[in-house]
Amino acid sequence: MARGLKNPKKADRKAKKRANGESSTVPSMPAKIWQPGVDPLEEGEELQCDPSAYDRLHAFHVGWPCLSFDILGDTLGMVRTEFPHTVYCVSGTQAEKASWNSIGIFKLSNISGKRRDLVLGKAGGDGSDMEDSDSNSSDEEEESEENGTPYPPALQIHKIAHQGSVNLIRAMRQSPHICASWGDTGHVQIWDFSNHLNCLAESETGVSTGASNVVSQAPLMKFGGHKTEGFAIDWSPLVPGRLVSGDCDGRIHLWEPSSDATWNVGKPPFDGHDLSVEDLQWSPIYSDIFSSCSVDGTVAVWDIRIGKKPAVSINAHKADVNVISWNGYSFMMISTGTFSIHNLRMLKPGDSSDTVVAHFEYHKRPITSLEWSPYQSSMLAVTSEDNQLTIWDFSLERDEEEEAEFRARMPEQVNSPEDLPPQLLFVHQGQKDMKELHWHAQIPGMIMTTASDGFDILKPSNIDTTIP
């Protein structure tokens, strides 16, 4: 299908540039995909981002580096596809001095980008859906490509003092103003940030206040029962207020709410890991089931109804297992920090290796975060110490005929590596020391990442805005 002219005004501007001797063409050197850890970067070579790969890409920072953050649910709409967008988040700092640390509640508004139509299911085989979505970019968005973003994003932030660095922070799904933080002091604290969120919601959109003062606030609860610090917390998606926290000694505590502002923390702790608990995840289907992963190389599944020992323990890897994520649709599928996909329905007594249904070795450094898409059951996002965010679609398979047809249509040669997995959908680079990623549950296809040099919020252009 031939693609028509999308914006005559833009074409006229480009024609005027050519008439004036200005050139907007790219040098004729063939494009090449660069792979971290595989390809060397020669002296004088510079990596360049391809802006056409994104519907939106925006970088920002909130002061000190943030090891952990969470995207907060809001009341702006359950499924939002039209730009501009507004995002609320909570994050915790890793400051130079312990007394300088804070929790930040921030609002990022006026996030503009390319408009694409909602896809109600899989695109047709003739590719017509893709053509239609491309042609629906508005004139205003086309203007932004040459004249700058018409609606510059605005960052507004409230900062609350926090004792020590924030190792991890998570918001309750049912009540996003209630957050739990893991500090390097060895304390888990519960906070109520409703006042701050109300102030941000009522503030003027488009006014940047990125350097607000740090205020003091007492937590709802402070738990010191862990004997050391930790990096694992998760709120139950099914039981409001139910929480688990894990520490570097391998101990896990269950928190049960006794009121809106108090919790009973179970003692003794759950005991099944020999080394540090690196991540915890509640089952999205069963309210009494959660999983954990550890530096001891195991993934454990726990049933809080049957005691303090694991119901199932999987020898997932010979080295550390840093992160895990339950699939919200194929609910017995767990992805682990070794970047393996496990189907627990295949588990056989005494043989945990039978659970592995896929294993990928694309990343050359340890995995720091991974998360299944809340909208597509086959899609997974991964960050690694190799400074890459990768997005995978496990429904994809290699089609040699389709690849040959694509190369024939390309106006110039693209030196794409032959050994890239066909499931690899997108690669994002440019941040240093990536730590954590999250999909936005109310904006399909939008992802936020944190790293030592700040945050990126992005929406890849090759991810359809699909509602399952």
Side-chain angles (χ1 to χ4, degrees):
M1 179 183 292
R3 181 170 298 177
L5 187 62
K6 294 190 292 184
N7 190 336
K9 292 181 180 180
K10 182 177 178 182
D12 290 342
R13 290 194 300 269
K14 290 184 175 180
K16 290 179 181 178
K17 284 186 176 182
R18 287 193 293 269
N20 294 331
E22 301 176 29
S23 175
S24 60
T25 58
V26 181
S28 58
M29 182 183 299
K32 182 178 180 181
I33 297 174
W34 184 79
Q35 301 178 87
V38 177
D39 300 326
L41 191 62
E42 303 295 339
E43 185 177 356
E45 284 187 322
E46 183 178 346
L47 300 177
Q48 294 184 344
C49 170
D50 181 2
S52 67
Y54 302 86
D55 285 352
R56 178 60 184 173
L57 173 61
H58 177 64
F60 66 99
H61 61 85
V62 295
W64 293 105
C66 296
L67 182 70
S68 179
F69 75 102
D70 206 1
I71 297 176
L72 304 180
D74 56 51
T75 58
L76 301 178
M78 290 305 298
V79 181
R80 308 201 294 273
T81 60
E82 295 293 331
F83 288 101
H85 289 300
T86 296
V87 174
Y88 291 87
C89 291
V90 61
S91 63
T93 63
Q94 298 276 310
E96 183 178 345
K97 294 184 179 180
S99 59
W100 294 351
N101 282 289
S102 64
I103 293 174
I105 302 99
F106 62 90
K107 171 186 176 182
L108 189 67
S109 55
N110 285 336
I111 306 170
S112 64
K114 299 176 186 176
R115 177 185 139 206
R116 295 178 186 272
D117 284 348
L118 187 69
V119 179
L120 299 176
K122 293 292 185 181
D126 60 356
S128 59
D129 288 5
M130 184 178 297
E131 294 291 343
D132 290 343
S133 67
D134 283 346
S135 65
N136 283 330
S137 296
S138 68
D139 289 351
E140 182 177 58
E141 290 148 357
E142 295 289 352
E143 291 279 351
S144 70
E145 293 181 9
E146 297 198 5
N147 300 330
T149 303
Y151 301 108
L155 175 67
Q156 297 161 287
I157 185 168
H158 286 205
K159 298 179 181 179
I160 295 89
H162 187 275
Q163 184 181 3
S165 297
V166 179
N167 292 345
L168 194 82
I169 191 162
R170 290 290 182 265
M172 189 192 303
R173 276 88 155 171
Q174 300 85 354
S175 302
H177 60 280
I178 303 296
C179 299
S181 66
W182 236 132
D184 65 359
T185 59
H187 296 97
V188 179
Q189 300 179 82
I190 309 294
W191 307 82
D192 184 350
F193 295 138
S194 55
N195 290 338
H196 301 282
L197 286 169
N198 290 337
C199 287
L200 289 172
E202 295 169 1
S203 63
E204 289 186 32
T205 298
V207 179
S208 293
T209 56
S212 60
N213 294 326
V214 178
V215 300
S216 296
Q217 177 178 325
L220 293 176
M221 181 172 173
K222 184 175 182 179
F223 176 65
H226 287 284
K227 303 304 180 185
T228 184
E229 66 177 317
F231 295 85
I233 292 175
D234 196 39
W235 293 97
S236 169
L238 303 177
V239 181
R242 180 176 282 178
L243 179 76
V244 281
S245 58
D247 61 36
C248 293
D249 281 343
R251 304 294 182 260
I252 301 170
H253 284 280
L254 173 67
W255 301 52
E256 293 283 14
S258 54
S259 71
D260 290 339
T262 58
W263 283 259
N264 293 322
V265 185
K267 298 178 182 179
F270 290 85
D271 185 10
H273 288 297
D274 297 329
L275 298 172
S276 174
V277 176
E278 296 294 280
D279 200 5
L280 290 163
Q281 285 269 297
W282 284 99
S283 165
I285 300 296
Y286 299 115
S287 61
D288 299 311
I289 304 295
F290 71 89
S291 59
S292 61
C293 66
S294 171
V295 172
D296 62 19
T298 65
V299 172
V301 180
W302 312 76
D303 188 335
I304 64 175
R305 299 166 297 183
I306 62 174
K308 302 290 187 177
K309 295 293 183 181
V312 174
S313 185
I314 302 170
N315 294 318
H317 200 258
K318 295 180 180 178
D320 304 1
V321 183
N322 298 324
V323 283
I324 50 177
S325 179
W326 285 84
N327 188 303
Y329 297 96
S330 303
F331 56 88
M332 296 298 284
M333 197 80 71
I334 298 180
S335 53
T336 68
T338 57
F339 202 12
S340 298
I341 313 300
H342 293 260
N343 187 345
L344 299 186
R345 285 174 289 192
M346 300 170 58
L347 188 66
K348 295 180 180 179
D351 189 1
S352 61
S353 61
D354 283 353
T355 64
V356 179
V357 296
H359 181 74
F360 294 89
E361 297 182 353
Y362 171 83
H363 289 284
K364 308 305 179 184
R365 299 290 303 277
I367 305 298
T368 58
S369 181
L370 52 80
E371 192 171 286
W372 289 96
S373 166
Y375 285 92
Q376 292 181 268
S377 62
S378 62
M379 193 170 292
L380 179 74
V382 181
T383 58
S384 168
E385 288 183 7
D386 61 12
N387 299 324
Q388 291 186 89
L389 162 70
T390 55
I391 302 175
W392 303 75
D393 188 343
F394 300 110
S395 68
L396 300 178
E397 296 181 356
R398 173 150 280 151
D399 188 324
E400 295 182 0
E401 292 184 5
E402 185 176 312
E403 290 179 5
E405 182 181 349
F406 173 77
R407 292 192 191 97
R409 294 202 309 265
M410 291 293 291
E412 62 181 18
Q413 180 184 3
V414 176
N415 298 319
S416 177
E418 296 292 334
D419 58 346
L420 285 179
Q423 296 83 10
L424 181 58
L425 189 65
F426 193 85
V427 178
H428 170 70
Q429 301 175 57
Q431 290 180 282
K432 296 180 180 179
D433 197 21
M434 282 190 184
K435 291 300 183 183
E436 198 168 273
L437 77 93
H438 293 297
W439 296 87
H440 199 299
Q442 295 169 257
I443 306 177
M446 181 167 283
I447 295 178
M448 185 178 290
T449 59
T450 186
S452 62
D453 54 357
F455 290 86
D456 276 4
I457 187 166
L458 59 136
K459 195 172 185 297
S461 60
N462 65 337
I463 296 181
D464 290 332
T465 304
T466 306
I467 303 302

